[in-house]
Amino acid sequence: MSGWHADQGIAEAGTSLAEAAGAVVLLHGRGATAGSILGLTSVLGRHDLTYRAPQARGGTWYPDRFVAPFEHNEPALSSALAVVGGVLDDLEAEGVEPERTVLLGFSQGACLALESAVRRPRRYGAVIAWSGGLIGPPATEWPARGAFDGAPVFLGCSDVDPHVPLWRVEESAKVFQSQGAAVDRRIYPGFGHGVNDDEIGAAKVLLEGVAGQGARGDSTAPVG
């Protein structure tokens, strides 16, 4: 793959894809690493899933704020979207259907997860965004490219997040709802920029739903 984030690597954890009940694509925030977000796997507790976490160049998926004009974040943004799309394509080629695939990100990674999903709508296992919103400047419109067919989309954010304006979270929820997603939007008063226990709990429920579909009908798959 060529581009801004080419050859940055993809970290993996969890069970082998051949035995997994599903897959989770983890997207780290600004200044973090693929390895650091893989640390979530011990918190999420689903050892019957495969986790893949691509690494951004320099730890940053795009240089400016996610509500800045698109050109301020190029060519990094287009490359970041291509990286995520490549991971999703690889998983599907390896036999993991979209309904058994989860996109999960925090902060800049949450924005990237949402933007990746809205550009390729399908019945994902879930899309989980902790402290993020769709990418683009004010008045951006996201054309419907398909339907989510009831895919769960979780948006959790503080009402006073210094990096994520509440209006964009609300706007993002409406975009996904209008395209057929089952949106769970939770606003945490005065919380700040981080991940709380309620968000972790919501993610566990969604991952349990994906795992509950079974590892390709293989009842011998390990259960965490």
Side-chain angles (χ1 to χ4, degrees):
M1 177 179 292
S2 61
W4 190 260
H5 299 291
D7 303 323
Q8 297 302 302
I10 299 173
E12 298 189 21
T15 194
S16 68
L17 198 59
E19 298 181 328
V24 184
V25 180
L26 293 169
L27 299 173
H28 66 76
R30 185 189 296 272
T33 66
S36 66
I37 199 165
L38 278 182
L40 276 173
T41 59
S42 61
V43 177
L44 295 171
R46 295 301 322 190
H47 304 299
D48 50 354
L49 300 173
T50 289
Y51 297 88
R52 291 187 178 176
Q55 173 66 47
R57 178 181 178 182
T60 301
W61 292 111
Y62 42 86
D64 207 337
R65 297 188 68 204
F66 76 105
V67 292
F70 283 108
E71 58 269 26
H72 290 196
N73 282 316
E74 295 293 6
L77 175 57
S78 290
S79 179
L81 291 165
V83 166
V84 177
V87 174
L88 294 173
D89 287 342
D90 287 346
L91 287 170
E92 195 162 358
E94 293 173 73
V96 183
E97 306 90 342
E99 57 266 32
R100 295 195 295 122
T101 301
V102 175
L103 270 171
L104 189 161
F106 169 66
S107 191
Q108 199 177 58
C111 300
L112 184 58
L114 292 171
E115 188 67 25
S116 296
V118 85
R119 294 190 185 211
R120 47 188 299 161
R122 54 196 60 193
R123 208 306 180 183
Y124 292 98
V127 180
I128 302 170
W130 294 330
S131 301
L134 286 167
I135 296 173
T140 295
E141 295 184 1
W142 293 270
R145 296 179 169 90
F148 285 92
D149 295 329
V153 174
F154 178 89
L155 294 110
C157 196
S158 167
D159 62 340
V160 291
D161 191 309
H163 305 292
V164 185
L166 183 57
W167 57 265
R168 177 50 58 86
V169 178
E170 303 287 12
E171 196 172 37
S172 302
K174 290 178 181 176
V175 169
F176 282 99
Q177 285 171 336
S178 71
Q179 297 186 27
V183 174
D184 182 358
R185 167 199 140 284
R186 303 187 191 183
I187 305 301
Y188 304 99
F191 179 65
H193 191 69
V195 181
N196 59 44
D197 290 343
D198 186 70
E199 292 174 298
I200 294 289
K204 285 182 175 180
V205 170
L206 292 172
L207 294 189
E208 183 177 2
V210 171
Q213 298 180 49
R216 304 174 185 177
D218 182 359
S219 61
T220 63
V223 176

